[in-house]
Amino acid sequence: MALFLSFVRVFSIVIPIIMSHFGQFDARTSLNVLSFGAKPNGMVDSVKAFSDAWDAACGVVDSVVIYVPRGRYLVSGEVRFEGESCRSHEITLRIDGTLFGPQDYKLLGKKKTGLVLVVFTMLRFLEVLLMLREQPGGIAKPMVTIALKTLRFMDSYNVRIKGVLSLNSQLFHIAINRCRNIKIEDVRIIAPDESPNTDGIHIQLSTDIEVRNASIKTGDDCISIGPGTKNLMVDGITCGPGHGISIGSLAKSTEEQGVENVTVKRAVFVRTDNGLRIKSWPRHSNGFVARVRFLGVLMVNVSYPILIDQNYCPGDSSCPSQESGIKINDVIYSGIMGTSATKVAIKMDCSEQVPCTGIRMQAINLTYYGEAAETSCTNVSGKQLGLVTPSGCL
Ligand SMILES: *[C@@H]1O[C@H](CO)[C@@H](O)[C@H](O)[C@H]1NC(C)=O
Ligand SMILES: *[C@@H]1O[C@H](CO)[C@@H](O)[C@H](O)[C@H]1NC(C)=O
Ligand SMILES: *[C@@H]1O[C@H](CO)[C@@H](O)[C@H](O)[C@H]1NC(C)=O
Ligand SMILES: *[C@@H]1O[C@H](CO)[C@@H](O)[C@H](O)[C@H]1NC(C)=O
Ligand SMILES: *[C@@H]1O[C@H](CO)[C@@H](O)[C@H](O)[C@H]1NC(C)=O
C-alpha cells in the first residue's frame, strides 16, 4: 500500500488556472502567441491572440507548435480551438505560462451555465504539452459563483494532454464529450471541497480514453463517467477531498447509451464522500453498465468505499420513483483495502427490476475505526473469493 500512498501529495498554490512549462523545442514550425498580440502581463485579454495563433497553426500543412511563453494571460471569454478545417495534421500547444479566467463574474455575466474557458472541437490530432511549475507566493482567491468550465474537448480524436494544473474551475475542470483516443496524463486538479459540481474529469459518449497519474481535489466527483463511455482506463489516481469516482449518474433519460469496459487501478481515496460508486436515478432506461474492473484501491477514511446506488436522488424532491432500468453486470472489486468513515463500508442498492449480476469481490479488507464494518445489499448476485471483509453481500 505504500506504493499507492506515493501518489498522495499536498499542494498549497491557489491561482485560477495554471498551465506551465515544457522543455525545449524541436525543429517543428513554432508560432509564439506574443507575435499574435497576447500579453503576458495579466491585464490585457488574450482571447483573440490565442484564436489568431490557432488559425495560423491550422493553416500550416506540417507539424506545428503553438508556444505560450511564461507570464500570466487573461482569458476573459471562451477560446475555441476548432480542428475541422485545419490543414495541419499535428498541432502541439505548449504552455509555459498561466491562463486565467476573470475573477469578477460580472465580466462574463450573462450565461448562467456552460461558460467555457477553453474549448477544443473537431480535432484530428492535438498534443497539449505542459509541465507543472510550482508558483511560490500564489495567493488564495475567493471562489466566484459562475458556471465556468475550464477545458472542454468535443468531437475530437487523438488528443494527448499532459501536465495540466487546473485550479478553481467553477464547473467541470476537464470535460470529454464525443471523443475517441484521448490520453490525459500527469494532471492536478484543485477546487475547494465545498464547491458544487466541480467534477475533476467528466467523460461521456467517448471511447478509448486513458487517465494516468492524476491528483484531484474537488467539491464533486473526481472522475465522473457518463453514458456512452467505452474502453476507459484510469490508472494511478489520488482523489480527495471530493465525491470519489462515479459511474453515473445514469438513467438521466430513458434512452441512453451504456457504460462498458472501464478499469480503475491503483487509486487512493482520502476522506472522500464515496470511493467507487455506480449510481443511477430511479427511472426506466435502456442504459447499462458492463465489464467494470476496480483493482488495487486504498481507502483512507472514506464514507462509502464501495457503493452501488440505483435509487440515486439527491435532495429527494421531484425524483422519478420507478425501478432503475440500468442493468449492472460483470463488475470486479479486487484488492480494496483501508478504512471506512461509516459503519456500512459496502452498500449495493440495486434495481429490483434488473438486479445487479456478475459482481465479483476478492481481497477486500475494509474496517471502521478499527472495528468490523458492515454491508448492506439488495438485489445483488455474484461470487466472492478469498478474504472479503466485511462479507455478506454475495
Ligand atoms: C505524476 O504527475 C506529476 C504532476 O502532476 C509529476 O510531477 C510526476 O512526475 C508524475 N509521476 C509519474 C510517475 O509520472
Ligand atoms: C477494454 O479497454 C481496454 C483499455 O482500458 C482496452 O485495452 C481493451 O482492448 C478493451 N477491451 C475490449 C474488449 O474492447
Ligand atoms: C474521518 O473523517 C471524519 C469526517 O468525515 C472526521 O470527523 C474524522 O475525524 C476522520 N477520522 C480519521 C481517523 O481521520
Ligand atoms: C485488515 O485490515 C486491518 C486494519 O486495516 C488489519 O488489522 C487486519 O489484519 C487486516 N486483515 C487481514 C486478514 O489482512
Ligand atoms: C429484490 O430485493 C427485494 C428486497 O430484498 C426482494 O423482495 C425482491 O424479491 C428482490 N427482487 C429480485 C428480482 O430478486
Side-chain angles (χ1 to χ4, degrees):
M1 287 305 135
L3 169 74
F4 298 159
L5 275 171
S6 67
F7 287 105
V8 180
R9 37 188 93 224
V10 177
F11 301 105
S12 56
I13 15 157
V14 183
I15 307 171
I17 297 161
I18 298 175
M19 300 168 166
S20 279
H21 195 91
F22 192 77
Q24 301 132 342
F25 289 117
D26 47 38
R28 290 178 287 187
T29 306
S30 176
L31 302 173
N32 189 322
V33 292
L34 298 185
S35 30
F36 292 85
K39 292 281 182 287
N41 60 9
M43 318 271 283
V44 179
D45 182 35
S46 292
V47 170
K48 185 166 187 308
F50 285 128
S51 298
D52 290 350
W54 180 261
D55 291 346
C58 275
V60 176
V61 179
D62 229 340
S63 301
V64 55
V65 179
I66 300 171
Y67 179 52
V68 181
R70 271 171 177 252
R72 285 170 57 76
Y73 299 84
L74 175 63
V75 177
S76 65
E78 181 176 301
V79 185
R80 279 187 92 84
F81 294 127
E82 292 202 14
E84 192 178 14
S85 54
C86 282
R87 296 205 293 158
S88 180
H89 60 277
E90 189 178 318
I91 299 177
T92 301
L93 180 60
R94 248 173 215 186
I95 303 178
D96 190 14
T98 300
L99 312 190
F100 68 101
Q103 294 298 306
D104 180 0
Y105 77 96
K106 291 189 182 87
L107 284 177
L108 303 154
K110 297 149 251 170
K111 279 190 243 163
K112 234 174 89 200
T113 54
L115 199 87
V116 182
L117 207 54
V118 184
V119 189
F120 298 89
T121 68
M122 314 281 276
L123 302 162
R124 277 158 299 164
F125 186 96
L126 174 77
E127 237 180 340
V128 184
L129 291 179
L130 317 127
M131 206 143 84
L132 297 170
R133 170 163 40 84
E134 296 292 337
Q135 300 263 319
I139 28 163
K141 299 270 191 344
M143 273 280 297
V144 289
T145 53
I146 44 149
L148 179 67
K149 298 172 194 164
T150 302
L151 289 173
R152 182 167 186 167
F153 295 84
M154 295 189 300
D155 304 294
S156 295
Y157 303 88
N158 311 323
V159 174
R160 178 165 169 240
I161 305 145
K162 188 172 159 71
V164 172
L165 169 54
S166 176
L167 284 164
N168 294 344
S169 177
Q170 265 83 57
L171 267 182
F172 301 145
H173 284 253
I174 298 179
I176 309 280
N177 192 11
R178 298 189 305 259
C179 293
R180 179 185 288 269
N181 190 21
I182 310 286
K183 292 181 168 45
I184 301 173
E185 293 165 69
D186 303 347
V187 300
R188 284 194 252 158
I189 292 173
I190 306 173
D193 60 3
E194 69 280 12
S195 54
N197 293 320
T198 52
D199 296 38
I201 300 174
H202 177 74
I203 300 157
Q204 64 179 28
L205 301 173
S206 296
T207 303
D208 300 331
I209 310 295
E210 281 180 29
V211 179
R212 294 189 190 272
N213 183 26
S215 164
I216 303 175
K217 299 163 194 282
T218 171
D220 209 296
D221 292 334
C222 285
I223 298 183
S224 55
I225 300 162
T229 301
K230 218 174 144 184
N231 303 348
L232 166 66
M233 168 62 74
V234 175
D235 183 5
I237 160 155
T238 303
C239 167
H243 296 179
I245 292 183
S246 291
I247 294 179
S249 312
L250 303 176
K252 268 189 194 123
S253 63
T254 51
E255 291 289 315
E256 206 173 84
Q257 291 188 35
V259 173
E260 216 177 332
N261 188 19
V262 170
T263 301
V264 174
K265 64 179 188 187
R266 294 194 288 183
V268 180
F269 294 84
V270 184
R271 286 186 292 278
T272 49
D273 288 0
N274 309 282
L276 307 167
R277 175 166 62 162
I278 301 174
K279 58 175 168 165
S280 76
W281 295 88
R283 178 182 282 122
H284 296 316
S285 172
N286 64 348
F288 63 91
V289 175
R291 206 185 141 79
V292 176
R293 307 288 178 255
F294 295 116
L295 312 172
V297 178
L298 178 62
M299 303 283 176
V300 182
N301 200 14
V302 170
S303 296
Y304 290 98
I306 293 177
L307 177 62
I308 296 179
D309 181 1
Q310 294 209 262
N311 285 296
Y312 180 68
C313 180
D316 233 288
S317 61
S318 67
C319 284
S321 54
Q322 301 164 337
E323 280 300 312
S324 174
I326 302 290
K327 170 73 184 169
I328 298 174
N329 179 47
D330 188 10
V331 181
I332 296 178
Y333 300 86
S334 176
I336 319 288
M337 308 286 166
T339 53
S340 176
T342 59
K343 185 100 177 146
V344 177
I346 301 177
K347 182 173 176 181
M348 295 184 176
D349 181 10
C350 291
S351 168
E352 191 171 336
Q353 191 198 335
V354 280
C356 299
T357 52
I359 307 297
R360 203 163 95 200
M361 295 198 201
Q362 58 195 43
I364 294 181
N365 184 11
L366 295 166
T367 56
Y368 171 63
Y369 297 115
E371 293 171 33
E374 290 176 359
T375 59
S376 160
C377 291
T378 45
N379 303 110
V380 186
S381 69
K383 63 178 177 199
Q384 65 180 56
L385 291 168
L387 171 77
V388 174
T389 313
S391 179
C393 279
L394 301 173

